[in-house]
Amino acid sequence: MVRIIPLCFLALCAASSAFGQEVLTVVWLQQFHKKADRNGDGKLSFDELMSHADLVRSKMMAADAQASIDELDTDKDGRLSLQEYMSNLSQEAGGNPDLLEWAKVEEQNFQAADLDNDGLLGATEAGVILFPHNIVTETEAKAAIAASDEDDDGQLGRDEFETGDEELEWPGFEIADIDGDGFVTLSEMMSWMSGRAHTISEMRTLLQTIDIDEDRHISEKELVAFREAAAKEKVSDEVSHAEQNLKTWMAHDEL
């Protein structure tokens, strides 16, 4: 199975060591709870956690895309032109025929990403070509399934999912099988390849870890209590991971 390292690993999953030094404050946790509680019922649902995760993810993508634009933007107009983009790709190709062919494909991708057809890409448009792994077509997902679908049923069981090019194999069936029925369907493959399946898995773990009364929601009281539990010297992997997710959100709160 093809190994995918989606943006959610940066935005949500394996937070960098730089965030590890952050300290969760009661004030921030209370503010976060209020912000994420979209329906104002005083508790966070799985859907509300996913909405906040998607918000952080999109902000980080836009920020990273803008940083890339700033690096390649020779005329400093704040946007990326086709000439600026292709000039950078040509330098990377260095005369290599295969890479030059790749550059031609990227020119087509640039034009497809230019939604308003003005010849320039803003941060949102640039994200399409700078982070292509976050946008997966049905055709790509079908091809990924077909590559390992030994019984030709249009979906992958565990053995099929975890069988493939040894160099590219990356176990993660439980994450990809979102509904837990023992198979990875087309829609689940699209979620796996785009990274959304990882986000779903992360938010499920976050909810289960912090939800003390097991009502499938997180109250402000539970969130603050989790801070105290996470501050202990020895904590479970689930607690440590949930804490890192919250620290990552806190570190990017002003994006």
Side-chain angles (χ1 to χ4, degrees), residues 63-76:
D64 286 347
Q66 189 60 57
S68 297
I69 289 176
D70 293 342
E71 182 178 349
L72 303 175
D73 181 21
T74 56
D75 62 8
K76 303 304 176 184

Side-chain angles (χ1 to χ4, degrees), residues 25-205:
T25 67
V26 173
V27 172
W28 181 82
L29 289 171
Q30 291 172 335
Q31 292 175 341
F32 157 71
H33 193 279
K34 183 177 181 179
K35 181 191 299 184
D37 180 19
R38 296 198 168 192
N39 64 5
D41 65 353
K43 50 190 178 181
L44 302 182
S45 65
F46 171 77
D47 288 341
E48 287 172 327
L49 289 173
M50 281 297 299
S51 293
H52 192 78
D54 289 339
L55 176 63
V56 174
R57 177 185 173 115
S58 64
K59 285 184 176 181
M60 291 186 71
M61 280 186 65
D64 286 347
Q66 189 60 57
S68 297
I69 289 176
D70 293 342
E71 182 178 349
L72 303 175
D73 181 21
T74 56
D75 62 8
K76 303 304 176 184
D77 67 347
R79 296 190 290 177
L80 186 64
S81 68
L82 178 59
Q83 181 179 354
E84 290 168 334
Y85 184 57
M86 295 307 299
S87 176
N88 177 70
L89 293 182
S90 296
Q91 292 177 15
E92 291 184 4
N96 184 309
D98 292 334
L99 292 180
L100 288 174
E101 284 299 316
W102 164 69
K104 291 180 181 178
V105 174
E106 285 302 301
E107 180 175 356
Q108 298 174 354
N109 291 339
F110 181 100
Q111 294 169 344
D114 183 16
L115 300 179
D116 56 9
N117 297 313
D118 65 351
L120 299 168
L121 301 185
T124 301
E125 293 172 320
V128 175
I129 56 174
L130 295 174
F131 306 111
H133 52 274
N134 287 282
I135 301 172
V136 179
T137 66
E138 186 173 304
T139 300
E140 291 172 322
K142 283 182 177 179
I145 289 178
S148 300
D149 186 13
E150 297 178 358
D151 57 9
D152 295 322
D153 64 350
Q155 57 187 1
L156 300 182
R158 178 185 292 275
D159 290 342
E160 292 172 322
F161 183 87
E162 296 181 349
T163 299
D165 190 326
E166 184 176 349
E167 182 180 353
L168 296 178
E169 188 175 335
W170 186 37
F173 182 79
E174 288 77 8
I175 295 175
D177 181 21
I178 296 173
D179 62 10
D181 68 350
F183 295 94
V184 175
T185 62
L186 178 61
S187 62
E188 288 174 328
M189 177 59 74
M190 293 178 70
S191 293
W192 163 261
M193 294 176 67
S194 69
R196 185 164 182 78
H198 299 78
T199 304
I200 291 172
S201 176
E202 286 293 309
M203 294 305 100
R204 284 175 173 173
T205 299

Side-chain angles (χ1 to χ4, degrees), residues 208-253:
Q208 292 169 1
T209 303
I210 302 177
D211 178 24
I212 298 174
D213 61 10
E214 299 182 353
D215 67 345
R216 298 184 180 182
H217 290 79
I218 297 176
S219 67
E220 182 182 300
K221 183 178 180 180
E222 287 174 324
L223 195 59
V224 173
F226 170 78
R227 173 181 178 272
E228 298 175 1
K232 296 179 181 179
E233 290 187 7
K234 294 183 179 181
V235 297
S236 66
D237 290 341
E238 290 78 12
V239 169
S240 178
H241 210 45
E243 181 187 26
Q244 288 301 320
N245 275 307
L246 291 171
K247 285 183 176 181
T248 302
W249 283 346
M250 184 172 68
H252 293 85
D253 194 43

